[in-house]
Amino acid sequence: MNTESMTMTDEATTPGLFALLREDVRCVFGRDPAARTVWEVLTTYPGVHAVMSHRIAHALWRHGWRYPARLVSFLARVFTNVDIHPGAQIGRRFFIDHGAGVVVGETAEIGNDVTLYHGVTLGGTTWNPGKRHPTLGDHVVVGAGAKILGAITIGSRVRVGANSVVVKNVPADRTVVGIPAKVVKRESPILSPTDELNLDHHVMPDPVGHTLNCLLDRIKTLEAELATLQVDRQTTAATPARPVQTVFPLINTNPLDCQANTDAACPECACQPEAEEAR
């Protein structure tokens, strides 16, 4: 993914703390139809409380106040059941819906307008210091219970299906589902120029079912070809005076290639990997 497309937090472009907090509260109304008033959001939304606490903890962390930052993070975890390390970099208008059981690691980086549902983990896969948590682009939506593990990059506008486990890079404008997560939908762009975000992360294909249907169709084709071959051989045996060269067309010259790294081959199959150059 092109890192220039990500709008990560930095001191040169990020607004002040209170401006960030106001944006975090206002963005709730665009992503949760149950939100009615600002007072309701401020007093009853644990996801908003967790984000507000992280903004304060991260400010302390950047200024070298490491223990106070960890203490604020710990208290936020006690009251919200959301564990965000104060070292994590989080962009603007970040929303945790139903804020419960969310874990965001120290070196995680999150772009603007990202939405996480309950049970999401942005975790590491190594005990070595350095970058070990995921990087999420702008407008990413991560479904409930999904796990994104390791120092991988999730491109902008990606949709991660509920309970998926993502362990590899995902290019922009993809939908991934499964364990481990597979790309099942390639769209460009998911968002129109007038859209702020798209929460249609529930529209998930069934890649395993589609792959099995492809295999069943191929078996039926092979059985039909075999039956035709048997009839031809019986006919040839009944007329021995007419020599016929027997040909075995068991394999179609242009079979459906579910293993090809191209969208045109079979874009809905679970066995479709992304080309390495797109990572």
Side-chain angles (χ1 to χ4, degrees), residues 67-273:
Y67 178 75
R70 292 302 302 267
L71 183 60
V72 171
S73 176
F74 169 74
L75 293 175
R77 177 182 180 181
V78 170
F79 288 101
T80 66
N81 195 26
V82 174
D83 186 2
I84 306 178
H85 193 283
Q89 300 181 47
I90 296 179
R92 301 166 65 175
R93 298 175 295 277
F94 177 56
F95 179 46
I96 303 175
D97 201 359
H98 296 286
V102 172
V103 176
V104 179
E106 177 185 6
T107 62
E109 300 174 64
I110 300 176
N112 296 332
D113 300 294
V114 172
T115 302
L116 307 184
Y117 285 83
H118 52 282
V120 169
T121 298
L122 306 183
T125 56
T126 177
W127 289 340
N128 298 326
K131 177 66 174 174
R132 57 191 186 279
H133 297 97
T135 296
L136 275 59
D138 299 336
H139 300 282
V140 172
V141 177
V142 185
K147 316 299 177 188
I148 305 177
L149 306 177
I152 61 176
T153 300
I154 307 300
S156 297
R157 298 171 300 279
V158 165
R159 298 291 175 269
V160 179
N163 293 316
S164 300
V165 178
V166 186
V167 293
K168 294 182 179 179
N169 294 340
V170 180
D173 300 299
R174 300 294 194 271
T175 298
V176 295
V177 299
I179 304 175
K182 303 280 188 181
V183 174
V184 295
K185 201 171 185 182
R186 298 169 174 86
E187 296 181 0
S188 184
I190 287 179
L191 295 175
S192 69
T194 58
D195 287 338
E196 179 180 354
L197 71 158
N198 180 348
L199 294 181
D200 291 336
H201 63 290
H202 64 288
V203 183
M204 294 296 167
D206 182 4
V208 176
H210 180 82
T211 302
L212 291 176
N213 287 335
C214 286
L215 293 175
L216 291 174
D217 290 342
R218 185 63 187 143
I219 291 173
K220 291 179 181 178
T221 300
L222 292 173
E223 288 178 342
E225 292 179 351
L226 182 60
T228 302
L229 175 62
Q230 290 174 342
V231 172
D232 291 343
R233 293 186 66 179
Q234 291 175 358
T235 304
T236 302
T239 57
R242 183 182 177 184
V244 177
Q245 183 178 1
T246 303
V247 180
F248 297 89
L250 291 179
I251 300 177
N252 194 335
T253 56
N254 295 306
L256 181 63
D257 186 2
C258 289
Q259 297 290 346
N261 290 337
T262 60
D263 292 352
C266 188
E268 298 181 24
C269 281
C271 56
Q272 277 289 310

